[in-house]
Amino acid sequence: MKDNLALKQEIPFGRPWIDDKDRQAVMQVLEGHILTHGPKCSEFEGKFEQFTQGGHAVTTSSCMASLHLCALHFGWGPEDEIIVPAQTHVATVHAVELTGATPVFVDCKLETGNIDPEKIQEKITSRTKAILLVHFAGIPAEMDTIMEIAKKNKFTVIEDCALAVGATYDGKHVGLWGDAGCFSFYPVKHMTTAEGGMLISKDKATADTIAQFRAFNVDRTHSERKTPGVYDVVGVGLNYRMSELQAALGCSQIEKIQQNLKIRKQNFDTLKSGLLAIPGLKVLDSDNAKSINSYYCLVVVLDDTKLAIQRNNILAQLKEHNVGCSVYYPQPVPRMQYYQEKYGYESSLYPSAEKISDHSIALPVGPHLIQKNMEQIVATLDHIIRNL
Ligand SMILES: *Cc1c(COP(=O)(O)O)cnc(C)c1O
């Protein structure tokens, strides 16, 4: 049985979906002479606005850059406390830390992996300035409740949407609930520009100001310069721009996003129903009708003490059986060395985040895979668990 399974086709965890149209799009830019500051970034921003509906988009060099731009734009500093999820990519928290503000960690809900709104309340102080949340693995956070808290306290809300292209809450795309949303086009995300990111905001002035800041805070773009070379600088700034090569790839990638999301949903549904037939497994997913998952991957929690302590063994065996898997995320951020040393760590404060880090497995559902691969994942995991 074991050998039989091991011979099966390799299932990578993530693989960018690049086809001839993508390659041609990049080559076309190379054949011209505008490699940056050009029409492709604007075109990509337009397509992204059309897809997310109702916001203003700004291309950036990465999601981390988008998050950093938000933290700087909203003026976070050493006097401020920013509420962040304990269970997220470290980039979410780095954006706060880079400004000198203090990240205040909040545990997640075990059903979704998302920040628990009830636990936000108890972390609010007179210094709290904003909530920076993540939509965990593409599952939208409870945006109506969170926005209510924010409104009552006049907090800024920033959404880390790195894994949430296509995720909506109550019909609105994530990133448009708060003051800004940050996306990633890193190779294994929903769509890619190699490196690259986007920022969206329902507020045009926010998007415009951040766009200017991300390009040295020069007061006019190349196309707006009537006299060549003549411009002024209205404040300090950065260079967090996306190149035309990347934007061309983004334009081509976004054409496939609906198909991409459809395959992800099918794969997720097949994998979820297969896994739920195995005792002791719990699958993180949207837990209410308002929230539409973008199915970045499937996070399965080993919800049984005997299984849970074998998590790393199961990961190793899945790899042996050619099933790509990962952990989202391997530590609650406050437990990572840097943050633990700086702020101390008390594990009793983050039981759900710890459970996800220590007792879960992330499995692939991307468009590089078909239903048969999902069945193979279920059979392999079932086999491993039975033979523990
Ligand atoms: C990948 C990821 C990031 C970082 O994205 P980059 O584009 O690589 O900077 C940030 N937040 C989350 C939740 C991510 O998954």
Side-chain angles (χ1 to χ4, degrees), residues 53-238:
Q53 292 281 315
H56 305 272
V58 182
T59 46
T60 63
S61 54
S62 69
C63 181
M64 175 79 243
S66 299
L67 291 164
H68 192 205
L69 287 166
C70 287
L72 294 169
H73 174 77
F74 289 100
W76 301 347
E79 302 301 311
D80 305 320
E81 289 179 356
I82 311 296
I83 304 248
V84 291
Q87 184 54 264
T88 183
H89 189 293
V90 74
T92 322
V93 187
H94 278 354
V96 175
E97 188 68 16
L98 280 168
T99 66
T102 305
V104 175
F105 296 99
V106 173
D107 198 18
C108 59
K109 287 171 72 176
L110 194 54
E111 294 72 31
T112 60
N114 276 317
I115 194 163
D116 187 340
E118 277 177 28
K119 293 193 176 142
I120 291 178
Q121 205 64 45
E122 56 203 57
K123 296 291 179 82
I124 295 173
T125 73
S126 59
R127 290 174 58 202
T128 311
K129 184 152 179 173
I131 301 171
L132 169 47
L133 57 89
V134 71
H135 300 290
F136 184 78
I139 304 169
E142 244 168 85
M143 290 315 295
D144 43 5
T145 318
I146 292 165
M147 290 312 293
E148 235 168 76
I149 298 171
K151 208 167 165 189
K152 201 168 73 191
N153 295 282
K154 297 196 169 64
F155 294 158
T156 301
V157 175
I158 306 299
E159 302 170 61
D160 182 339
C161 309
L163 302 178
V165 175
T168 59
Y169 190 84
D170 207 8
K172 195 189 289 185
H173 201 287
V174 296
L176 296 172
W177 280 88
D179 295 276
C182 304
F183 294 81
S184 172
F185 306 122
Y186 181 76
V188 298
K189 311 282 161 127
H190 283 74
M191 49 181 277
T192 188
T193 61
E195 295 279 3
M198 190 75 84
L199 179 149
I200 62 173
S201 176
K202 61 191 175 200
D203 178 46
K204 185 168 188 310
T206 300
D208 287 349
T209 310
I210 291 177
Q212 189 161 304
F213 191 88
R214 71 96 155 77
F216 304 119
N217 228 332
V218 161
D219 69 347
R220 63 208 93 167
T221 63
H222 278 217
S223 54
E224 287 163 355
R225 288 177 201 169
K226 293 204 176 68
T227 314
V230 176
Y231 60 82
D232 205 352
V233 171
V234 293
V236 73
L238 285 163

Side-chain angles (χ1 to χ4, degrees), residues 1 5 8-9 11 266-275 278 318 321 323 363-365 369-383:
M1 183 70 181
L5 279 167
K8 290 264 176 77
Q9 191 196 334
I11 300 177
Q266 283 168 353
N267 282 342
F268 187 96
D269 289 346
T270 306
L271 187 55
K272 182 179 175 180
S273 66
L275 292 176
I278 304 174
L318 280 169
H321 284 97
V323 173
L363 295 166
V365 300
L369 301 173
I370 56 174
Q371 310 256 321
K372 215 177 77 191
N373 300 125
M374 299 299 112
E375 288 155 17
Q376 187 186 330
I377 295 174
V378 174
T380 309
L381 195 56
D382 187 45
H383 168 83

